[in-house]
Amino acid sequence: MHIANLVSRLFKLFIPSIIEEIAKSSDFMKRHSKLLPETFAKAMSLGLLDCKNITEEVIAEKCAFIQNGVSLSKQAIAKRLKESIPFLKKLL
C-alpha cells in the first residue's frame, strides 16, 4: 500500500469531537479559528510522514491540503507550534 493511501485511511480514525475536546482541555483551542484542531493533529501526526525538510511553510501546505485550502501564514503556524505540545501529547 502506498503511504498516501495508508495516511488517508488512518485519517478516518480521527474523531473531530474527541480531538476538539482534547484541544480545549489542553488550551490549544481557546476559541474557534480557521485552523481546526483536527486538521493540525492530522498534519502533525501523519501528514508529514513523506517530508524530509519540515518547515512552517510545509506544515501550512499540509494543513491547506487536509482542510480544503485553509490559508495560514508561517507566523500562524509558528504560534500554533508553540501552543501544540500539551495538545499533541494528550492526543497521541
Side-chain angles (χ1 to χ4, degrees):
M1 178 181 294
H2 190 269
I3 190 76
N5 291 335
L6 176 63
V7 169
S8 178
R9 287 183 181 191
L10 289 172
F11 277 172
K12 293 176 184 170
L13 299 175
F14 284 79
I15 301 170
S17 60
I18 293 174
I19 294 173
E20 187 171 320
E21 184 180 313
I22 293 169
K24 287 178 181 176
S25 71
S26 66
D27 288 331
F28 178 77
M29 181 178 166
K30 297 174 182 97
R31 62 188 184 287
H32 288 283
S33 68
K34 62 182 172 180
L35 176 62
L36 300 174
E38 173 189 359
T39 300
F40 188 79
K42 287 177 178 180
M44 296 305 294
S45 60
L46 298 171
L48 300 172
L49 288 177
D50 62 345
C51 296
K52 292 179 181 141
N53 187 18
I54 300 170
T55 63
E56 287 93 350
E57 290 89 357
V58 169
I59 296 169
E61 288 172 11
K62 293 293 182 180
C63 288
F65 178 76
I66 293 166
Q67 193 180 315
N68 295 325
V70 66
S71 178
L72 302 164
S73 67
K74 74 177 196 176
Q75 292 83 5
I77 293 296
K79 181 177 186 263
R80 289 293 187 162
L81 287 172
K82 290 178 185 174
E83 301 168 344
S84 70
I85 294 170
F87 167 57
L88 293 174
K89 279 185 175 179
K90 281 187 175 183
L91 182 65
L92 303 172

